[in-house]
């Protein structure tokens, strides 16, 4: 492919570099040969610092295309960022991410949240939901923030930041119709004395999403019945890999992306996000997670795959993963504070060799997680040996977990 300009935030569409690098890992060779069938897509950002620690970015892609993949839980990341942005717009009402947020039931099949047993003082809040999203990828937490924002706000804000192809149009793990997903619950905010600060009524979305015509596979289960025709993803969520990668970059390196791509967040918001994006489940008191069901690498696919061993203290991953319908996705900023390594890496792969959806027979363990592990380790090893004129100062990413 032709090379493009190399200044930051423009991609070098150059599969050759990644192809030669990844081909050196025997565990990846066979998968690379099936990159089209597996809808394998990779975006890698090489980061170089100057004498003032200012980063410059060189971006590489591998097999990135408009071919659809289901973004699964990765849609939770922009929703978390937008929830904080919306709160900042409400600041004059004395509301922030720690304010008690009560979700009402405003239409058929909606559910409500008045208290939250895993939250401090049992008080549901935007901060609590964001922690759940990044620590264990909680679906209900996403749904509550989706309801607080509403489809129109989400689409308008992401489009204004340059992400015109994103479609976040439904809750997760909640079987609602197209119409039911347009209606979002009433949401109320209360102060610590129980006084109502804001009553946001139920919303009905008139958002118009980019048209999508996507049918995948050869069959799917509807209940216990096998339907022998492709599964329709046309009305599902959509988030392209390059957009996901750039959304993450706009928070990790917010000072160095164009103003229109930035989220309206405070410095404290950024610290809060970076802390919880990189924390392990055991490092949270509220909510509490046991290490048996929620091991350290539970939501860290790149570098670790499905491994349950404790990662070294010098490595931290700021990321968001997703896996559903046989698709595995991860978008990550990875640092090694001891060896002064940093890079961004995002990837997706399809793991559904029988072509049947909703059968719970996906190749996550044989294809998806090993791919993520070997991909992350290959790039990490390359970065470990790569000569740098100036080593990065990564102190801003050090947190007291």
């Amino acid at each position: 492919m032709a090379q493009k300009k190399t200044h930051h935030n423009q991609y070098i569409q150059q599969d050759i570099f990644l192809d030669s690098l990844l081909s050196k890992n025997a565990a990846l060779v066979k998968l690379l040969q099936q990159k089209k069938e597996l809808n394998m897509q990779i975006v890698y950002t090489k980061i170089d610092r100057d004498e003032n620690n200012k980063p410059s970015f060189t971006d590489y892609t591998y097999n990135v295309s408009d071919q659809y993949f289901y973004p699964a839980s990765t849609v939770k990341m922009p929703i978390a960022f937008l929830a904080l942005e919306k709160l900042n717009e409400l600041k004059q009402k004395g509301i922030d991410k720690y304010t008690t947020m009560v979700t009402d039931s405003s239409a058929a099949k909606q559910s409500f949240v008045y208290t939250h047993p895993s939250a401090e003082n049992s008080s549901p809040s935007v901060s609590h939901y964001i922690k759940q999203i990044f620590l264990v990828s909680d679906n209900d937490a996403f749904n509550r923030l989706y309801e607080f924002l509403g489809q129109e706000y989400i689409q308008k804000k992401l489009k204004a930041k340059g992400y015109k192809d994103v479609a976040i149009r439904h809750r997760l793990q909640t079987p609602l119709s197209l119409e039911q997903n347009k209606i979002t619950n009433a949401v109320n905010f209360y102060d610590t004395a129980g006084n109502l600060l804001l009553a946001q009524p139920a919303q009905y979305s008139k958002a118009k999403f980019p048209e999508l015509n996507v049918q995948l596979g050869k069959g799917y289960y509807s209940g216990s019945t096998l339907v022998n025709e492709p599964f329709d993803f046309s009305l599902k969520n959509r988030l392209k890999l390059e957009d996901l990668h750039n959304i993450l970059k706009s928070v990790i390196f917010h000072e160095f992306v164009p103003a229109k791509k930035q989220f309206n967040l405070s410095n404290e918001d950024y610290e809060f996000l970076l802390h919880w994006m990189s924390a392990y489940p055991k490092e949270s008191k509220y909510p509490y997670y046991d290490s048996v069901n929620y091991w350290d690498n539970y939501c860290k696919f790149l570098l670790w795959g499905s491994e349950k061993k404790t990662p070294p203290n010098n490595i931290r991953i700021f990321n968001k993963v997703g896996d559903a319908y046989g698709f595995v996705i991860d978008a990550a900023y990875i640092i090694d504070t001891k060896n002064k390594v940093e890079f961004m890496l995002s990837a997706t792969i399809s793991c559904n060799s029988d072509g049947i959806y909703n059968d719970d027979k996906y190749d996550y363990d044989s294809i998806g997680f090993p791919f993520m592990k070997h991909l992350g380790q290959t790039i990490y090893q390359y970065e470990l040996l790569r000569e740098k004129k100036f080593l990065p100062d990564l102190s801003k990413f050090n947190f007291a977990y």
Side-chain angles (χ1 to χ4, degrees):
M1 284 187 179
Q3 227 175 298
K4 291 187 178 178
K5 292 177 186 174
T6 59
H7 67 74
H8 99 60
N9 253 357
Q10 285 208 350
Y11 283 97
I12 303 173
Q13 298 290 345
Q14 192 180 23
D15 287 23
I16 303 159
F17 171 76
L18 280 174
D19 193 46
S20 65
L21 181 60
L22 301 178
S23 296
K24 292 172 184 166
N25 186 328
L28 289 172
V29 172
K30 190 178 174 189
L31 293 176
L32 295 174
Q33 291 167 351
Q34 303 171 69
K35 63 182 180 184
K36 290 278 191 280
E37 300 90 326
L38 296 173
N39 192 7
M40 179 193 298
Q41 300 185 39
I42 303 167
V43 182
Y44 158 53
T45 297
K46 190 189 286 183
I47 304 164
D48 291 288
R49 302 277 182 163
D50 67 11
E51 64 272 25
N52 299 314
N53 205 43
K54 183 182 177 183
S56 62
F57 307 106
T58 310
D59 298 301
Y60 298 91
T61 63
Y62 184 78
N63 201 45
V64 167
S65 69
D66 282 338
Q67 191 177 344
Y68 179 85
F69 64 88
Y70 181 68
S73 290
T74 60
V75 298
K76 297 170 186 174
M77 184 166 69
I79 294 309
F81 300 163
L82 285 176
L84 293 176
E85 179 163 302
K86 184 169 179 176
L87 286 177
N88 287 332
E89 294 167 358
L90 298 171
K91 204 175 276 178
Q92 73 278 11
K93 297 181 185 295
I95 296 165
D96 63 24
K97 56 183 166 287
Y98 304 106
T99 307
T100 298
M101 175 178 130
V102 169
T103 304
D104 216 332
S105 173
S106 308
K109 294 198 175 178
Q110 287 188 356
S111 58
F112 57 84
V113 179
Y114 296 154
T115 61
H116 205 304
S118 69
E120 192 165 9
N121 302 320
S122 300
S123 295
S125 65
V126 167
S127 66
H128 190 74
Y129 291 136
I130 290 175
K131 284 160 71 173
Q132 289 183 300
I133 280 171
F134 288 114
L135 288 166
V136 300
S137 199
D138 190 282
N139 286 323
D140 183 69
F142 164 81
N143 293 342
R144 299 311 169 188
L145 297 186
Y146 169 92
E147 290 156 359
F148 166 52
L149 298 172
Q151 284 182 357
E152 286 185 56
Y153 182 91
I154 296 165
Q155 192 200 25
K156 177 185 161 197
K157 286 289 185 175
L158 292 177
K159 193 174 180 180
K161 295 181 200 304
Y163 308 113
K164 60 180 174 34
D165 296 317
V166 179
I168 301 178
R169 60 198 303 169
H170 60 80
R171 297 166 177 84
L172 298 178
Q173 216 175 19
T174 308
L176 298 177
S177 69
L178 192 66
E179 195 67 15
Q180 288 165 333
N181 273 308
K182 288 181 181 181
I183 308 168
T184 46
N185 313 40
V187 176
N188 296 332
F189 288 89
Y190 295 90
D191 67 16
T192 51
N195 299 309
L196 180 66
L197 298 174
L198 173 73
Q200 177 179 285
Q203 303 172 76
Y204 180 81
S205 170
K206 293 178 182 172
K208 296 271 189 282
F209 292 102
E211 282 197 24
L212 196 59
N213 184 18
V214 178
Q215 288 80 34
L216 299 178
K218 61 184 183 184
Y220 64 92
Y221 275 90
S222 178
S224 58
T225 306
L226 176 61
V227 181
N228 287 302
E229 56 186 59
F231 188 58
D232 191 0
F233 283 89
S234 302
L235 298 176
K236 297 285 187 189
N237 290 334
R238 182 188 198 188
L239 179 52
K240 290 181 177 178
L241 191 68
E242 286 179 292
D243 287 345
L244 179 67
H245 189 84
N246 281 327
I247 286 168
L248 176 62
K249 186 191 280 186
S250 72
V251 165
I252 302 289
F253 296 104
H254 61 95
E255 316 99 301
F256 306 105
V257 301
K260 71 168 276 188
K261 284 195 173 290
Q262 294 177 20
F263 289 82
N264 176 18
L265 305 178
S266 67
N267 288 334
E268 200 273 334
D269 288 335
Y270 284 117
E271 284 198 24
F272 174 81
L273 286 170
L274 292 175
H275 181 128
W276 294 108
M277 289 169 86
S278 57
Y280 301 125
K282 71 182 180 190
E283 292 169 333
S284 169
K285 189 176 180 184
Y286 300 101
Y288 166 79
Y289 296 108
D290 70 86
S291 297
V292 176
N293 293 304
Y294 301 101
W295 53 96
D296 289 352
N297 300 324
Y298 183 73
C299 285
K300 310 290 178 191
F301 298 165
L302 287 163
L303 268 193
W304 312 121
S306 57
E307 282 184 8
K308 294 185 180 180
K309 67 182 185 185
T310 301
N313 290 332
N314 51 301
I315 293 178
R316 283 284 172 171
I317 302 175
F318 304 75
N319 74 315
K320 187 69 201 77
V321 299
D323 60 302
Y325 292 117
F327 294 95
V328 178
I329 315 103
D330 197 353
Y333 169 61
I334 298 173
I335 63 169
D336 177 342
T337 51
K338 178 182 165 189
N339 296 297
K340 304 297 182 188
V341 165
E342 63 171 339
F343 60 95
M344 286 190 67
L345 184 61
S346 299
T348 179
I349 192 167
S350 174
C351 318
N352 189 19
S353 54
D354 67 4
I356 306 294
Y357 290 95
N358 288 337
D359 64 350
D360 287 331
K361 293 178 184 172
Y362 300 120
D363 313 308
Y364 292 136
D365 293 323
S366 58
I367 293 177
F369 296 137
F371 164 73
M372 289 289 176
K373 173 185 167 180
H374 291 295
L375 170 63
Q377 290 183 354
T378 302
I379 301 294
Y380 171 72
Q381 290 300 325
Y382 167 75
E383 285 283 354
L384 207 52
L385 301 173
R386 182 168 78 84
E387 281 191 29
K388 302 176 187 75
K389 192 173 179 184
F390 299 99
L391 292 176
D393 174 1
L394 301 171
S395 55
K396 79 170 267 191
F397 299 107
N398 281 343
F399 293 95
Y401 297 99

